[in-house]
Amino acid sequence: MGMKKFIITCLLCWTCTITMAEAKSWSSLSSEQHEALAPLAQEWDKLPASDQQQLLNTAKGYARLSSEEKARLHTSLPAWVKLTPAQREAAREKYKAFQKVPTEQQEEVRQRSK
């Protein structure tokens, strides 16, 4: 199998896994997941399983975040889940572009947005 076919097969399997993911109730989450996803407690059970899975993946890295990063995550989560898929993709692209900007300029932008 060529590399291109392999990648397409992997993407299709990944997509099927996400779309077939089972929804998890808030009460079934661990205490660490509760802490990371606390801002979504009230709406968690209403979220599509695919969104829940992506958020659970995000929660895996929560313990490694600084307290400032944790606060920023908690502030942004409610707004993020309200975005449409197209708006989320646009935000991801904007983030990727921002990561290519020199660190000094990134810091200037962060200071201006406070």
Side-chain angles (χ1 to χ4, degrees):
M1 178 183 303
M3 183 58 84
K4 193 173 187 177
K5 286 184 181 179
F6 175 75
I7 291 171
I8 291 171
T9 302
C10 288
L11 287 173
L12 288 173
C13 290
W14 178 75
T15 303
C16 291
T17 302
I18 287 178
T19 56
M20 294 171 50
E22 266 189 53
K24 292 186 167 243
S25 68
W26 181 256
S27 61
S28 73
L29 302 183
S30 69
S31 58
E32 292 83 11
Q33 290 168 326
H34 279 167
E35 181 183 350
L37 302 169
L40 304 176
Q42 298 299 314
E43 54 209 276
W44 180 263
D45 292 332
K46 299 174 203 148
L47 294 174
S50 57
D51 287 356
Q52 287 182 355
Q53 188 58 51
Q54 289 176 337
L55 290 163
L56 289 170
N57 287 338
T58 299
K60 288 178 185 176
Y62 183 78
R64 293 186 302 271
L65 298 177
S66 69
S67 52
E68 182 179 295
E69 291 169 324
K70 288 177 181 179
R72 191 173 27 222
L73 177 66
H74 279 178
T75 301
S76 64
L77 278 177
W80 181 259
V81 298
K82 291 177 184 170
L83 295 177
T84 66
Q87 290 170 322
R88 289 181 192 175
E89 186 58 33
R92 286 186 193 102
E93 291 302 319
K94 188 174 180 180
Y95 177 78
K96 287 177 191 174
F98 184 70
Q99 294 305 308
K100 294 177 183 176
V101 172
T103 307
E104 302 81 33
Q105 290 177 332
Q106 287 181 16
E107 192 55 40
E108 287 175 23
V109 170
R110 286 186 184 105
Q111 292 302 320
R112 280 189 268 151
S113 65
K114 285 186 177 182

